[in-house]
Amino acid sequence: MPEIQYFSKEITLSPQSEPAGKSFPAKLAYWTFGDVSNPAVLLPSCYGGTLATTTPFLYSTDEGNKPVFPTSKYFVIVTGLLGGGESSSPINAPDPWKGADFPHVTYEDNIRLQYALCESLGVKKLHAYIGFSMGGQQAYHMATLYLDFVEHMVCLAGSARTSWHNWSFLEGPRNALVHSIDFKEGRYTETPLRGQRAFMRVYSTWALSQGWYRQKCWEQLGFKTLEEYLEAGWSGEKADGNGLLALLWTWQKGDITLYHPDDKGDLAKTLGRIKAKCLIFPSRTDTYFPPEDNEEEVKHLQKGEFRCIETVWGHIAGGGGGTKEDTEYMKTEIARFVGAAYA
């Protein structure tokens, strides 16, 4: 693994942040690959994601993978979300921002920090901005905040605005954590394992589809039972409770219409402002970001295309967590969309 790099900048928290308008010493964790003179591609992380797990199938050659964006031809930037554990987060922030006192940051805070990073690297335009889940939402926000900065935007299993159904789903794991006996209103001195385990177990069912469970797809991953699968991947032991809530708050507040008050919350109007070529790419069985919402979004984009992964692997298929066929389909369509030589 390459060493994590950090971009530090004192930022003014956005109007939707809490506390709004305050100065915050932000650190953005990132990797870069390739030469900055080549077309730039930015890949932002998702909920629970790290730099290492952020869509590596798009640029890495590890394990024989054929990348869409070989680093010999593209300048690839991978960034971590504020709150995600590598960038500024409750677990690593200095006083007075540590732990439960970490600010409620927004997508706007993240995107403006990423844009500042690009400026510092000498990137004047992104050939592509591609994100999965919360990364897909960031893709919409970057394309809305900086209308002339992104040439191609790809939203994988995300949305322009967090729906009320999505918001309500997130209330389930949130309440499981905050009401656990060991969470202590975020001022714990030992990892709140009971609360984090409860959070993850509530969260896990939504990440996949009913068909996935019906077909016992955990067996394809080498697990004999569902319980074995859940213990291995959804125990919550490696998480940080305050970090989980910080990211969740950002997710719940996602709404690109906030940047254009004159649109008065009319998503169609705000979508119509986006100049980037957009590929909106959900999973058919995603319970967080259903394809029906994305189909409606594409109707209002100036240059929008819709593709859908036909899979039982639910939400996680959009991040490369589905079948090889699912991931290959995404790679082929993304390459076609951005004009990359991939076959």
Side-chain angles (χ1 to χ4, degrees), residues 84-96:
E86 293 172 326
S87 295
S88 294
S89 302
I91 200 169
N92 62 27
D95 291 330

Side-chain angles (χ1 to χ4, degrees), residues 130-200:
I130 304 171
F132 158 66
S133 191
M134 283 185 77
Q137 292 194 299
Q138 288 173 81
Y140 261 121
H141 285 256
M142 179 64 87
T144 305
L145 271 171
Y146 298 100
L147 294 173
D148 297 308
F149 187 57
V150 182
E151 186 175 358
H152 300 90
M153 180 275 267
V154 182
C155 172
L156 300 168
S159 66
R161 177 163 63 191
T162 299
S163 70
W164 287 116
H165 179 267
N166 196 334
W167 183 94
S168 185
F169 140 64
L170 292 169
E171 283 295 284
R174 186 184 74 82
N175 276 275
L177 175 57
V178 300
H179 293 297
S180 69
I181 194 170
D182 56 351
F183 184 66
K184 300 178 181 180
E185 297 184 334
R187 302 195 181 278
Y188 47 84
T189 55
E190 296 181 359
T191 303
L193 292 175
R194 288 182 61 172
Q196 290 175 191
R197 180 183 178 85
F199 181 101
M200 287 297 183

